[in-house]
Amino acid sequence: MHPRNPYNKPPDFADLARRYPPLRPHVFINHTGSSTINFKSLPAQKRLTEALFRLDYGLSLTLPDDRLCPPVPNRLNYVLWLQDIVKFTCSSATIRGLDIGTGASAIYPLLACGIEHNWHFVATDIDERSIQFAKQNISQNSLDSRIVVERVQADGPILQPLHTSLMDFDFTMCNPPFYSSAEDVSRSAEFKEFGPNAVCSGAEVEMITPGGETNFVARIFSESLLLRTKCRWYTSMLGKMSSIPDLVSLFREHGVDNYAITEFVQGQTRRWAIGWSFHDARLPDTCARVSNPTLQNIMPSRNTLHHAFPGARSAGILTSALRNVLRLISGVTV
């Protein structure tokens, strides 16, 4: 979980229900004496998402029954990671992002614009029903001036707005379809020892793509090789850790060494995200590397050094001495 995520502890469902009455019928006391909801109930999940949106961000949300109901804590992790990327590598007064496959909820642009008042988005989708609900959710929150929704074609460029826009972008984000087929979805459910932890209302267009998520993100990467610095950071969430080595191999094959890997853990749900850039600015290790031992051999190179100087008389003297040394190194700008 991102350290700034306010949902690092389970919410007080009884308090949420008191403040958002539509949630009340779905809250009950479990065997430990704590209030909770049935996470395998779609109505309960939808009311919870609406409650968190309304009470924590002042936003309203309309969710259809036949499209994904996104959990706010999990999605917020991604937005907070992008906040870090922007903080360390972007200096624009206005931040522009592209949300690929925004879905019916348009949750990423809505959350991000609710948190950061200088962020603007183009949000795309291939599904007309999702487009209609996304536009409705954006309009009912009076964010039409900051979030533009565009329909793109499934067989066209994924990064279509970058190809046609006269403006540069600071980042792209994407929660791609994880699976390559309906059989792939079934196998994933079978591998979960105790079954899924929550109900999934996603439509096939949201969950399945030819070649699965690895192929989808590889397509984004291929397009980025042409667009390059048109966008500062290209990023995507991943549902399978096994996708990461394949994508890093693709980066290395094309000489892209400025990349980042992070991990989002929310309860029993684990997701990953990967990003890459053709700009020179690098992210600190805290944003670009994770401690997962399985991934250590494909992590980007370290660029953060921690060293104690117990004999230094003051931070000012030490900083001045370090700057003087760095100025002697060819190609280093201080």
Side-chain angles (χ1 to χ4, degrees):
M1 184 183 301
H2 193 283
R4 290 199 308 280
N5 194 316
Y7 306 111
N8 52 19
K9 293 181 180 179
D12 184 334
F13 292 99
D15 181 61
L16 285 176
R18 178 182 59 79
R19 295 187 292 144
Y20 187 74
L23 182 61
R24 286 179 186 171
H26 306 284
V27 175
F28 62 93
I29 303 301
N30 63 17
H31 66 281
T32 67
S34 302
S35 60
T36 188
I37 66 168
N38 178 8
F39 286 94
K40 295 183 180 182
S41 163
L42 179 58
Q45 282 272 43
K46 288 176 66 175
R47 300 294 88 77
L48 175 61
T49 296
E50 293 167 1
L52 295 178
F53 246 64
R54 171 78 67 177
L55 299 175
D56 294 343
Y57 302 98
L59 298 168
S60 65
L61 202 59
T62 302
L63 297 168
D65 290 337
D66 58 351
R67 292 296 184 271
L68 283 172
C69 174
V72 175
N74 177 279
R75 299 303 194 263
L76 182 60
N77 280 324
Y78 194 175
V79 173
L80 294 174
W81 183 57
L82 285 171
Q83 258 191 330
D84 294 334
I85 290 176
V86 167
K87 172 185 174 183
F88 288 112
T89 62
C90 305
S91 57
S92 309
T94 298
I95 300 300
R96 294 183 177 87
L98 169 63
D99 180 26
I100 301 162
T102 197
S105 66
I107 189 169
Y108 286 128
L110 287 175
L111 273 179
C113 288
I115 297 170
E116 293 286 357
H117 300 299
N118 66 329
W119 286 24
H120 292 247
F121 276 86
V122 174
T124 66
D125 211 293
I126 63 172
D127 176 48
E128 182 58 34
R129 182 163 171 77
S130 294
I131 290 282
Q132 292 172 358
F133 274 90
K135 287 182 176 180
Q136 177 182 337
N137 282 314
I138 291 162
S139 293
Q140 69 192 31
N141 288 289
S142 303
L143 285 168
D144 305 80
S145 63
R146 295 172 58 196
I147 306 172
V148 177
V149 181
E150 295 183 5
R151 185 174 184 182
V152 295
Q153 299 304 311
D155 56 354
I158 297 175
L159 301 176
Q160 181 65 37
L162 270 66
H163 290 280
T164 57
S165 176
L166 298 177
M167 298 181 293
D168 290 345
F169 282 70
D170 294 287
F171 63 84
T172 70
M173 66 187 308
C174 178
N175 185 14
F178 293 158
Y179 305 105
S180 60
S181 64
E183 292 74 20
D184 193 14
V185 176
S186 298
R187 282 195 299 271
S188 176
E190 290 170 3
F191 285 142
K192 294 181 179 180
E193 183 179 359
F194 301 106
N197 298 310
V199 66
C200 179
S201 57
E204 182 174 309
V205 70
E206 298 176 288
M207 300 178 64
I208 298 172
T209 188
E213 65 180 12
T214 304
N215 185 64
F216 193 89
V217 180
R219 286 176 57 197
I220 297 175
F221 178 73
S222 295
E223 289 184 40
S224 76
L225 291 173
L226 301 175
L227 294 161
R228 302 188 76 82
T229 56
K230 180 73 176 179
C231 179
R232 188 170 294 275
W233 278 93
Y234 302 87
T235 77
S236 180
M237 186 184 283
L238 297 168
K240 303 176 182 179
M241 187 170 66
S242 59
S243 300
I244 300 175
D246 292 338
L247 293 170
V248 171
S249 294
L250 192 60
F251 296 168
R252 292 175 175 175
E253 178 184 336
H254 290 273
V256 176
D257 62 1
N258 188 8
Y259 64 94
I261 298 170
T262 193
E263 190 173 46
F264 306 132
V265 181
Q266 196 78 36
Q268 299 182 57
T269 301
R270 189 176 296 268
R271 295 285 183 264
W272 297 264
I274 196 164
W276 63 96
S277 177
F278 298 96
H279 287 261
D280 294 330
R282 306 272 171 154
L283 294 171
D285 292 348
T286 53
C287 294
R289 295 173 58 92
V290 293
S291 58
N292 191 318
T294 307
L295 301 173
Q296 288 312 296
N297 64 332
I298 58 171
M299 283 292 125
S301 300
R302 294 185 181 276
N303 61 14
T304 305
L305 173 66
H306 296 277
H307 189 80
F309 293 90
R313 285 178 289 173
S314 73
I317 294 174
L318 181 60
T319 300
S320 178
L322 182 59
R323 288 181 180 274
N324 291 336
V325 171
L326 291 175
R327 288 192 183 100
L328 299 176
I329 302 175
S330 177
V332 173
T333 302
V334 181

